[in-house]
Amino acid sequence: ARDGRFNYEGVSLRELIESHMPEGAAFPRRISVISDGGYAKEIDADLVLNGVDSSYQPGERREVILAYASQGAPLVRSRDSEGYTGANDGAPLRLIVENSIALWIKNICRIEAE
């Protein structure tokens, strides 16, 4: 995934949720991503299922991801952490929704899907 300046590496939120669903269950309608500080965002299930039309790579769809690295460097806790490179804060996971930086969340500790 990209934000226009940085490349992020991570896992697909859709695949993570699907891997924990009981066989035959419908995809959750409500998905909330919560940071360790209690900040939370509800993510549209359709966005998680179908991805985002990329404004950085026109004609391509990008998945919503849980990033664990940026620019090839593992995410660190904060900008004051050892190993910070200028683009890799937000550990342990950072929600990346291409084109929708308002939905990005750092320091994810919990995902609720109903």
Side-chain angles (χ1 to χ4, degrees), residues 48-66:
V48 174
L49 271 171
N50 300 311
V52 177
D53 285 325
S54 175
S55 62
Y56 302 105
Q57 291 98 16
E60 292 189 34
R61 294 191 70 76
R62 296 289 184 213
E63 292 210 56
V64 174
I65 69 165
L66 298 171

Side-chain angles (χ1 to χ4, degrees), residues 37-103:
Y39 181 75
K41 283 284 188 173
E42 191 164 315
I43 308 299
D44 184 90
D46 186 58
L47 192 68
V48 174
L49 271 171
N50 300 311
V52 177
D53 285 325
S54 175
S55 62
Y56 302 105
Q57 291 98 16
E60 292 189 34
R61 294 191 70 76
R62 296 289 184 213
E63 292 210 56
V64 174
I65 69 165
L66 298 171
Y68 51 76
S70 175
Q71 299 298 94
L75 294 184
V76 295
R77 187 87 180 136
S78 72
R79 293 177 179 187
D80 297 327
S81 298
E82 184 178 333
Y84 178 64
T85 64
N88 65 327
D89 60 322
L93 294 172
R94 186 175 188 169
L95 180 72
I96 305 292
V97 182
E98 191 165 321
N99 305 344
S100 302
I101 201 163
L103 294 175

